Amino acid sequence: MSISRALGSSLCGSVIAIALISPAAAADLGGDCCADLEERVAELEATTARKGNRKVSLTISGWVNENVIVWDDGTERNAYVGTNSVEQSRFRFVGEAKISADWSAGYTLEIGTQGHPSNQWNQNSPSSSSSNPNNQDNQLLVRKSYWFIKNKDWGQVAVGQNGTATYHLLDDADFTLTRNVDDAEGAAIYLSQFQLRANGQPLGTNRWTDILRGFNNSTPGDSARRNVVRYDSPTFAGFSGAAAWGEDDIWDVALTYKNDIGDFSVLARAGYGQSNDPGTQFTGTPSTYVAGGTPCISSSTTTASSLPPPNQASHQGFECDWGGAAATIMHKPTGLFVFGGWGKQHIETGNPGTNALLVEPDSTVWFIQPGIEQKWFSLGKTNIFAEYRHDDAGSNPGRTVSSSVNFWQGGIIQYIDAAELSLYAVYEHADGDVIGSAGTVSNGIHSGKTSLDAFQAGIFGAKINF
């Protein structure tokens, strides 16, 4: 029953009750009072938004996540405001219908929204200069769009744009408040598109993202959203599995364990994936960009992954594989927890010229994040954490031979139950060194080892769910 019809029935019932109590008053209203109300209710229903049908449930949810970042690259400093790309603002439609006691079907449609996306900021401006439409200012973009069929005993099959099995492989091993503020990819994302400096001078046009590797947010081990067929198993004794295939060709598998063991809560994930598709290169202004596939070498070119002319369109011989594991263990009585993980990416190409520049085909990351999460105030839980992350990044052919980057982070998150609101403040410090060769000098990376100027940032913001 719709809200408007329920209201009409209630009003009609009230009129009848009054009539029974006061016949004189009822006589004044006339015999067709309920018919008049029903007619009015029909008019209201004609202008009321409704579902397309009454068989599929519809849930609308999402969040808004905006932040302020105060940054200092050792030479310049400034403050920017925009959408936090660690957990981008979004809204989601989820529909589901029961087919039988054991079977159901449904869909998910998730739309991302962004003003100034924080992963595109640089020393010159908070406005995005990316040619990729998904990274530009003031955009709506489809994050997920898939249908699913689910059985409570056999699991779920989904088809469409979705996270692969190793999507957020490392991030989703965290069940604390840090997951939506500073996940495993957060350290790299907060570096945005800021340029590198050494002794106060820019290293050509190279950015921190040019010396880090990992095809999803510069984090080896994590995959992304792609058009896939995905299977998720039911949970058995705390274990569940996932597998996905698609995108000509990409495939991956993951295993998750979630359980309470005595006074400890445990969440652990591990997975592996492989792809022979480096993506499609598009020409844009001011630069080219890559969409789809697995741009493990660079987000701006697939040429390095292709055979030389006349067969340049062929990616024969390209292969990128990745894997990793992460876990969170929390002592429930005290709220003390440790979140940590490790990830790796390996690249092979079919281009002899690229292979000569691919001195180090492996990239690794590891991190550890201790903290405490307790409800000390009636408002909600408080999370205080620290993190160290270290990347040994492989070659970006023609730009770098390898690099070593250290991240130091700390922060506090206050959750407010009554508003489904997370207030957060995070500090980040990044430093390290990069190794170049004679072939990288033209791109601004000197031969030998170059120590990088530290980059520091303070991130302040809020994420509110709806």
Side-chain angles (χ1 to χ4, degrees):
M1 180 180 290
S2 67
I3 294 174
S4 54
R5 185 169 294 277
L7 177 61
S9 298
S10 176
L11 288 172
C12 187
S14 298
V15 171
I16 293 170
I18 293 171
L20 292 173
I21 296 171
S22 177
D28 293 337
L29 288 172
D32 60 347
C33 66
C34 290
D36 292 340
L37 284 173
E38 289 289 346
E39 182 179 354
R40 183 60 182 144
V41 167
E43 292 175 2
L44 289 172
E45 287 189 329
T47 59
T48 301
R50 59 174 62 83
K51 297 181 299 180
N53 62 64
R54 297 179 183 274
K55 296 179 180 178
V56 180
S57 67
L58 173 63
T59 302
I60 302 174
S61 63
W63 58 74
V64 174
N65 188 4
E66 302 290 321
N67 65 174
V68 178
I69 178 172
V70 181
W71 58 268
D72 184 342
D73 69 358
T75 301
E76 296 183 58
R77 58 193 61 84
N78 210 328
Y80 295 156
V81 181
T83 304
N84 189 329
S85 297
V86 171
E87 282 297 312
Q88 174 192 50
S89 299
R90 67 196 64 177
F91 56 92
R92 179 188 298 127
F93 302 94
V94 177
E96 187 168 0
K98 294 287 290 184
I99 299 173
S100 68
D102 295 336
W103 290 89
S104 62
Y107 66 89
T108 294
L109 178 61
E110 183 176 286
I111 308 297
T113 68
Q114 56 195 25
H116 288 321
S118 68
N119 62 356
Q120 297 301 309
W121 295 342
N122 58 42
Q123 281 92 337
N124 299 320
S125 174
S127 296
S128 173
S129 60
S130 175
S131 303
N132 189 338
N134 287 343
N135 294 330
Q136 294 173 1
D137 289 348
N138 303 314
Q139 293 293 316
L140 296 177
L141 58 138
V142 178
R143 293 175 53 87
K144 295 182 180 180
S145 178
Y146 64 87
W147 58 261
F148 63 84
I149 296 177
K150 181 167 56 177
N151 179 278
K152 68 177 185 180
D153 296 319
W154 298 345
Q156 174 179 292
V157 174
V159 178
Q161 184 165 310
N162 194 1
T164 69
T166 55
Y167 177 53
H168 288 317
L169 175 69
L170 307 180
D171 307 347
D172 285 346
D174 181 8
F175 58 81
T176 73
L177 289 173
T178 60
R179 170 62 185 86
N180 291 318
V181 172
D182 194 24
D183 59 24
E185 298 177 350
I189 292 174
Y190 286 137
L191 289 177
S192 305
Q193 300 298 311
F194 286 99
Q195 292 183 336
L196 296 169
R197 289 186 184 273
N199 298 318
Q201 299 302 310
L203 289 179
T205 59
N206 289 287
R207 305 156 296 179
W208 286 91
T209 51
D210 291 319
I211 67 169
L212 293 170
R213 300 291 84 211
F215 84 84
N216 196 65
N217 290 323
S218 302
T219 303
D222 271 0
S223 181
R225 300 181 305 276
R226 293 293 185 264
N227 289 296
V228 295
V229 178
R230 171 170 168 155
Y231 169 73
D232 288 89
S233 78
T235 299
F236 300 100
F239 288 94
S240 61
W245 170 87
E247 289 286 326
D248 189 34
D249 288 299
I250 179 175
W251 66 266
D252 59 356
V253 293
L255 180 67
T256 299
Y257 177 75
K258 184 178 181 180
N259 212 345
D260 287 343
I261 304 174
D263 286 339
F264 293 89
S265 291
V266 179
L267 174 58
R269 303 191 76 217
Y272 174 82
Q274 191 176 97
S275 168
N276 59 18
D277 179 7
T280 301
Q281 183 172 321
F282 294 89
T283 300
T285 301
S287 61
T288 63
Y289 66 94
V290 175
T294 50
C296 301
I297 288 182
S298 172
S299 61
S300 61
T301 179
T302 59
T303 303
S305 307
S306 304
L307 294 172
N311 300 313
Q312 197 152 36
S314 172
H315 304 308
Q316 184 178 354
F318 173 85
E319 184 176 286
C320 179
D321 59 80
W322 60 92
T328 299
I329 302 175
M330 174 182 280
H331 183 240
K332 291 186 291 183
T334 63
L336 291 168
F337 69 87
V338 176
F339 167 46
W342 169 88
K344 182 178 180 179
Q345 174 183 281
H346 176 81
I347 308 169
E348 297 179 8
T349 82
N351 188 326
T354 302
N355 290 340
L357 300 172
L358 195 62
V359 179
E360 178 51 72
D362 294 332
S363 299
T364 60
V365 61
W366 67 270
F367 62 91
I368 185 167
Q369 184 185 96
I372 184 170
E373 184 170 292
Q374 270 285 9
K375 190 172 184 177
W376 290 304
F377 312 103
S378 60
L379 286 174
K381 290 183 178 180
T382 304
N383 180 301
I384 302 172
F385 70 94
E387 180 179 326
Y388 174 75
R389 167 174 160 165
H390 179 77
D391 285 63
D392 285 314
S395 303
N396 187 349
R399 283 188 176 270
T400 67
V401 171
S402 63
S403 65
S404 177
V405 180
N406 303 299
F407 297 90
W408 300 90
Q409 291 186 302
I412 182 169
I413 308 164
Q414 179 61 54
Y415 189 74
I416 301 176
D417 291 328
E420 290 275 347
L421 174 69
S422 295
L423 300 171
Y424 56 85
V426 178
Y427 168 77
E428 172 163 292
H429 174 106
D431 59 36
D433 52 65
V434 59
I435 295 177
S437 65
T440 66
V441 173
S442 61
N443 281 319
I445 300 293
H446 311 306
S447 296
K449 181 183 290 187
T450 302
S451 295
L452 304 172
D453 293 351
F455 180 87
Q456 300 180 84
I459 301 99
F460 310 93
K463 172 180 174 285
I464 184 166
N465 299 328
F466 60 85

